[in-house]
Amino acid sequence: MKDGYSIIMTTTDSQEDANRLAELLVTQQLAACVQSTPITSTYTWQGELTRESEWLLLIKTRADRYDAIQEALLKIHSYETPEILQVPITDGSSAYLAWLSAQTES
């Protein structure tokens, strides 16, 4: 998925780490906006049922920025196996999408 726009999702274990990741992505113009919100995740890890408080990051960007965002996240993420998922944006207001494009040009 190289054309258009997308939201990339990742999670982390603290608000401080969420802020650090968001600031990196926005200041490097990889993302136009990163929203973070507290969540509770339930999953199996290494054979054990786990329930943890986490921070979900919604990274709004151009679809062609995925590889660079994934590379940046893998370098500095605190998780051994971080969630990094890309979801296409199929439509949006033209003014917002133009702003998103302008913010992610480098």
Side-chain angles (χ1 to χ4, degrees):
M1 171 185 345
K2 296 295 180 193
D3 295 332
Y5 305 94
S6 65
I7 295 174
I8 298 172
M9 296 183 294
T10 194
T11 55
T12 191
D13 62 356
S14 70
Q15 183 176 12
E16 294 76 23
D17 201 36
N19 291 343
R20 181 177 65 91
L21 294 172
E23 288 173 13
L24 171 84
L25 296 172
V26 171
T27 59
Q28 291 188 0
Q29 293 185 299
L30 295 173
C33 174
V34 179
Q35 295 173 315
S36 61
T37 188
I39 60 169
T40 301
S41 295
T42 304
Y43 55 94
T44 300
W45 182 250
Q46 298 178 344
E48 297 290 326
L49 183 64
T50 304
R51 182 171 292 114
E52 298 285 343
S53 295
E54 292 187 297
W55 286 80
L56 172 65
L57 281 74
L58 301 176
I59 303 160
K60 298 170 186 176
T61 191
R62 294 191 335 254
D64 64 356
R65 298 303 239 172
Y66 177 80
D67 290 338
I69 289 171
Q70 177 178 262
E71 183 180 331
L73 289 174
L74 289 173
K75 281 183 185 176
I76 65 167
H77 206 290
S78 60
Y79 285 3
E80 179 181 336
T81 307
E83 169 188 19
I84 305 173
L85 300 174
Q86 183 177 34
V87 179
I89 295 173
T90 59
D91 207 354
S93 78
S94 58
Y96 182 82
L97 295 177
W99 173 82
L100 193 156
S101 245
Q103 297 306 306
T104 55
E105 292 177 356
S106 56

